[in-house]
Amino acid sequence: MRKLSEAEIESIVGLLKEGNPLPEDYKTILFDTKREYELVYADKEREENILADTMAVPLQPVKTFRNGKNGNDWTNMLIFGDNLQVLKTLLQMKQEGRLKNADGTPGVRLVYIDPPFATRREFRGSQDQKAYQDKIAGARFLEFLRKRLVFLRELLSEDGSIYVHLDQRKSHYAKTLMDEIFGEQNFQNEIVWLYREAINSKEKWNNKHDTIFFYSRTKTLIFNYKEVLEPYSPGTVKKYKYRDEKGFYRLMGRGLKDSPISSARDVSPKWEKEHPELVFRHYLGKGTLPVDYWNIDIINQASRERLGFPTQKPEALLERIIKASSNPGDLVLDCFAGSGTTLAVAEKLGRRWIGVDCGKLAIYTMQKRLLNIAESKDLENPKKKYGKLCRPFTLYNAGLYDYKMIKELPWEQYRDFALKLFQCRDERHEISKIELDGYLGADNVMVFNYQKYKDAVLDRGFIDDLHKYLGDKIGQRFFIIAPAASVQFIEDYIEKDRTKYYILRIPYSLIEEIHNQGFSKIKQPVSEMDVNDTVDAVGFDFIQVPTVECKYFIDDAKGQLKLLGGTKECVIKIERFESKVISRKPLNFANLETLSMVMLDYDFDGEVFDLDEVFYAEELKKNNYEVHFSTDKAKERIMIIYVDLFGNEKREIKTLSDFKIGG
């Protein structure tokens, strides 16, 4: 760092006194940074603040499929929630020694992300409409991505790698961000994915590739080149026309000085017989060394892999990445998991995996894909089925909790949940012989033990008694975490002398005075165009089942069912749909305003919802909020899931007998 001149010092002091920002020129002068350059944009946060201020949310188990564990201490994870908050939670797990590979190495060995708002081009949905719009633009997009990259770097093992999949619109910005976060020295390659697709533009060069940036955490990394060798061309194979017990070979000249052999390649067999010292056998290997451009077909309409999910990636693409940069038993993470290609391939290749997504449609799509993986194609022989059941995995909620389940937790588990929910440090201590549970910042925290004191309530008398013992021994703030039903006053805090006793209610939104930020929720799509829209969600909420009233009938509007002799249609007429939102300021929603989608399982087995079809709210609105499906699709039991904008669900099970002709 060079010494400032008197004029520069005077200029800086003057700007600071007037409250004006410093010119960017001063940045490298005032601060000792190792970076020669970086991407500058509005509202760019310090890495330290991102790591410290991001809220960790507890993971609440919903259901474990296939029961048991994959190894001694691991079950694969499918997580519904905002990925930034989940990444903070996963980082805490790593720090606690609960996130590791099969060989005991802490952290994630491989990360692949395909941010849906930043990948590929506009694509078409099932009705040939645009199904993708880039809603996060400019500096907001950059910071959105950067926050997640910072956490992903911290989550990687020391020999871990990350692949970031982008298109031509965002890749140049992302490359600069990744150089800042991971270091230019850890940039390994830029991979170009070439794909075949219909060419439709006559006004510009048609785009036929995506970009995948490959970085490592350190200079030490895993790269299994033998696992991703490229097949030889037929022309090359043809040259290996001789064969012995070792395999096919061609004869090559040794290139010795003054050798009578004029060509070093494909020499005559007579030379080997007469002068073996001048000739050697070059055997056909398993393939050529891998290169950074990949010709892999996209998922088209006729593909066996196709799930109908926007931006679904081919398994061959992820197979190459996972084989190259991880080993069996290693942990693979995809926090924009979407259709679940990363998870499915990791499963088939014997890796541990974590998938995160904020979309209910994505979660149910992945759940079905994994549970039915035995019927999918085998990676080594696509003409055959994989044929194996998936290993156990657990579905978690993060940021959206079942309050009934929380109340039933054993005390220690409830206490742990309550502390984590409000980001408190778990440090038991005593003040004046009163047991306290931890700290929020520098302030004391008590978790109200409503299970131990079943008849006790948190009222003004409780606060008075507490203050008698603690008043002169604590600071200006004291926090009590308690169920809302146990609190007998409506104020956020009770003030005694110089101390405010804050009540953190469960359920209750975090007090904005404490965290100095507003709270937002994940929103579910209302049309196919919105499926890949991603938003930041801050805070948490509790599951509140929406109120749903419907009529179920078989369409006989024309009274011709007996005459048609064809397929009858079941109709679900949604007449009322209202959502409850506890942890936000009261909002009044019009009827049907908060409906996101209706999902159907036409053959419900009584245990697992197996998604067959989805109907979006925008589509239903055009059809008078009626869901239509053929009676031929329906089996013995039909499960219907109504989803609101906030991810809450109403579930119903119906049979064909519930659908009456004419309503």
Side-chain angles (χ1 to χ4, degrees):
M1 184 170 69
R2 72 173 175 82
K3 189 176 180 180
L4 294 170
S5 68
E6 291 185 7
E8 287 173 330
I9 295 172
E10 187 177 340
S11 174
I12 292 171
V13 171
L15 290 168
L16 292 174
K17 283 182 177 180
E18 296 172 5
N20 294 323
L22 297 179
E24 286 296 325
D25 293 348
Y26 284 121
K27 189 170 184 178
T28 55
I29 301 173
L30 292 171
F31 304 104
D32 187 15
T33 177
K34 295 180 180 179
R35 299 179 186 138
E36 290 186 50
Y37 55 87
E38 66 176 293
L39 199 60
V40 178
Y41 51 85
D43 299 323
K44 185 176 181 180
E45 293 186 45
R46 296 173 65 244
E47 286 189 10
E48 294 83 354
N49 292 347
I50 293 171
L51 292 168
D53 297 344
T54 299
M55 175 186 247
V57 291
L59 304 181
Q60 186 177 63
V62 177
K63 184 179 179 65
T64 296
F65 301 90
R66 306 289 189 223
N67 293 323
K69 294 189 174 184
N70 298 324
N72 295 328
D73 57 355
W74 180 260
T75 300
N76 291 325
M77 306 172 71
L78 179 59
I79 306 171
F80 168 68
D82 174 60
N83 58 13
L84 184 62
Q85 297 181 125
V86 172
L87 291 175
K88 176 66 174 282
T89 302
L90 293 176
L91 182 57
Q92 291 181 347
M93 290 175 61
K94 178 187 177 185
Q95 293 165 344
E96 295 165 1
R98 296 187 294 126
L99 197 72
K100 55 189 178 182
N101 302 278
D103 64 3
T105 305
V108 176
R109 195 83 76 186
L110 171 63
V111 172
Y112 168 86
I113 60 170
D114 168 26
F117 46 78
T119 304
R120 299 187 61 192
R121 64 281 174 231
E122 293 175 343
F123 61 87
R124 298 278 167 177
S126 58
Q127 305 301 317
D128 199 39
Q129 75 270 34
K130 280 186 184 178
Y132 163 69
Q133 295 181 0
D134 191 358
K135 297 283 181 77
I136 302 180
R140 187 182 168 207
F141 160 75
L142 295 175
E143 191 64 2
F144 181 98
L145 181 60
R146 179 172 167 268
K147 286 179 179 179
R148 285 147 181 84
L149 290 173
V150 168
F151 274 103
L152 290 170
R153 178 196 64 206
E154 297 303 307
L155 279 168
L156 283 175
S157 63
E158 288 301 302
D159 57 356
S161 300
I162 180 170
Y163 291 75
V164 179
H165 192 145
L166 301 154
D167 73 358
Q168 77 281 6
R169 293 173 295 183
K170 302 290 194 269
S171 58
H172 51 303
Y173 297 120
K175 174 67 167 64
T176 305
L177 286 179
M178 296 188 74
D179 282 346
E180 290 179 22
I181 297 167
F182 293 92
E184 287 186 80
Q185 72 279 9
N186 294 320
F187 169 66
Q188 299 300 329
N189 216 329
E190 175 185 358
I191 298 162
V192 177
W193 172 31
L194 307 172
Y195 46 79
R196 290 182 295 176
E197 196 180 36
I199 296 174
N200 46 39
S201 176
K202 298 179 180 178
E203 300 176 352
K204 60 180 182 180
W205 299 106
N206 285 274
N207 185 50
K208 293 297 164 194
H209 81 278
D210 285 359
T211 297
I212 304 172
F213 291 123
F214 169 27
Y215 282 74
S216 58
R217 173 72 188 269
T218 65
K219 291 183 179 180
T220 302
L221 71 155
I222 293 170
F223 191 75
N224 303 314
Y225 77 91
K226 291 182 179 180
E227 296 292 323
V228 287
L229 295 172
E230 301 279 355
Y232 290 111
S233 68
T236 298
V237 173
K238 202 178 281 185
K239 294 176 181 178
Y240 291 79
K241 54 188 178 181
Y242 308 112
R243 188 176 187 179
D244 63 16
E245 68 280 0
K246 294 182 181 180
F248 290 95
Y249 66 91
R250 59 196 291 193
L251 292 173
M252 312 284 281
R254 289 191 181 278
L256 297 176
K257 188 178 179 181
D258 300 325
S259 172
I261 301 176
S262 59
S263 174
R265 296 179 181 271
D266 299 315
V267 303
S268 171
K270 74 173 187 176
W271 284 106
E272 184 186 37
K273 186 179 288 187
E274 298 174 3
H275 298 282
E277 76 279 3
L278 302 177
V279 179
F280 71 97
R281 296 183 178 185
H282 187 277
Y283 290 90
L284 183 66
K286 294 183 179 181
T288 65
L289 292 173
V291 295
D292 58 6
Y293 60 92
W294 303 349
N295 283 288
I296 299 174
D297 289 342
I298 62 170
I299 304 294
N300 55 44
Q301 295 286 332
S303 174
R304 286 179 58 196
E305 290 182 37
R306 188 173 183 271
L307 302 172
F309 194 93
T311 67
Q312 180 185 348
K313 299 300 182 292
E315 290 191 359
L317 185 73
L318 272 300
E319 179 185 4
R320 191 169 297 190
I321 291 171
I322 294 173
K323 279 184 174 179
S325 294
S326 68
N327 296 316
D330 285 347
L331 185 52
V332 178
L333 167 65
D334 186 345
C335 59
F336 294 94
S339 68
T341 301
T342 304
L343 313 187
V345 176
E347 177 68 30
K348 292 178 181 180
L349 294 176
R351 272 64 167 175
R352 300 179 175 190
W353 53 259
I354 300 173
V356 187
D357 207 282
C358 63
K360 277 292 177 76
L361 177 60
I363 294 297
Y364 283 119
T365 298
M366 288 187 281
Q367 178 182 297
K368 178 174 183 175
R369 183 173 188 174
L370 291 161
L371 293 175
N372 296 316
I373 199 169
E375 298 300 310
S376 68
K377 71 178 186 180
D378 185 75
L379 293 176
E380 299 300 322
N381 189 349
K383 293 183 179 180
K384 292 184 177 181
K385 293 180 179 179
Y386 175 59
K388 299 178 184 177
L389 297 176
C390 71
R391 293 163 298 162
F393 68 93
T394 300
L395 173 64
Y396 296 89
N397 279 342
L400 185 67
Y401 304 103
D402 185 341
Y403 187 50
K404 293 180 181 178
M405 290 178 62
I406 295 169
K407 290 179 69 176
E408 295 170 359
L409 289 173
W411 167 249
E412 286 298 322
Q413 292 185 33
Y414 170 83
R415 176 185 172 277
D416 180 64
F417 176 88
L419 290 170
K420 287 182 177 177
L421 196 61
F422 293 94
Q423 296 193 93
C424 303
R425 296 197 311 280
D426 185 351
E427 293 183 20
R428 285 184 168 93
H429 61 287
E430 285 188 0
I431 298 179
S432 298
K433 297 184 178 181
I434 293 179
E435 294 182 1
L436 304 178
D437 295 275
Y439 299 92
L440 182 57
D443 301 311
N444 293 282
V445 174
M446 170 190 287
V447 180
F448 182 73
N449 195 337
Y450 70 95
Q451 295 181 3
K452 183 177 181 181
Y453 307 105
K454 294 183 179 181
D455 297 328
V457 294
L458 213 170
D459 56 13
R460 292 180 180 275
F462 181 93
I463 301 295
D464 289 342
D465 291 341
L466 195 63
H467 187 66
K468 287 179 183 177
Y469 291 95
L470 302 179
D472 59 346
K473 299 177 180 67
I474 57 177
Q476 296 181 352
R477 298 191 300 183
F478 186 92
F479 297 97
I480 306 172
I481 304 174
S486 300
V487 183
Q488 298 299 298
F489 49 86
I490 62 172
E491 294 97 325
D492 293 339
Y493 61 87
I494 299 293
E495 191 166 4
K496 293 288 182 181
D497 298 325
R498 65 185 184 91
T499 302
K500 292 180 179 178
Y501 291 86
Y502 285 90
I503 311 302
L504 305 181
R505 291 168 171 85
I506 300 178
Y508 190 76
S509 62
L510 299 184
I511 301 171
E512 296 189 13
E513 179 184 343
I514 301 170
H515 293 273
N516 196 31
Q517 58 184 344
F519 295 92
S520 59
K521 300 171 71 171
I522 296 170
K523 286 196 175 181
Q524 302 303 304
V526 297
S527 73
E528 192 174 29
M529 295 175 63
D530 301 330
V531 168
N532 284 306
D533 286 350
T534 305
V535 298
D536 273 308
V538 181
F540 66 92
D541 202 354
F542 289 85
I543 295 170
Q544 290 294 293
V545 178
T547 300
V548 184
E549 294 178 4
C550 301
K551 287 184 178 179
Y552 306 89
F553 60 92
I554 294 176
D555 191 4
D556 190 26
K558 298 181 180 180
Q560 296 180 354
L561 286 178
K562 294 182 180 179
L563 303 176
L564 292 175
T567 303
K568 302 176 183 177
E569 275 197 338
C570 292
V571 180
I572 304 171
K573 169 69 175 175
I574 307 172
E575 296 187 325
R576 183 185 176 198
F577 188 94
E578 296 177 358
S579 297
K580 300 175 183 178
V581 184
I582 285 184
S583 65
R584 293 172 62 88
K585 295 178 182 178
L587 297 173
N588 295 317
F589 295 106
N591 185 33
L592 300 165
E593 186 181 356
T594 57
L595 177 64
S596 167
M597 67 185 78
V598 179
M599 297 186 286
L600 297 178
D601 177 357
Y602 295 120
D603 189 18
F604 179 54
D605 64 2
E607 291 289 332
V608 179
F609 178 79
D610 196 12
L611 175 64
D612 287 318
E613 194 165 6
V614 60
F615 299 85
Y616 299 100
E618 287 296 321
E619 173 188 348
L620 295 173
K621 185 177 181 179
K622 296 174 184 177
N623 200 30
N624 201 26
Y625 290 98
E626 292 183 356
V627 176
H628 290 250
F629 59 93
S630 168
T631 55
D632 290 347
K633 294 181 178 180
K635 306 303 179 185
E636 184 176 345
R637 288 183 294 184
I638 309 160
M639 174 168 271
I640 309 162
I641 299 182
Y642 305 90
V643 184
D644 72 9
L645 290 174
F646 313 113
N648 297 297
E649 302 176 3
K650 168 73 173 181
R651 297 185 169 208
E652 292 184 335
I653 298 174
K654 297 291 180 181
T655 66
L656 275 177
S657 62
D658 294 313
F659 293 79
K660 310 298 183 182
I661 295 178

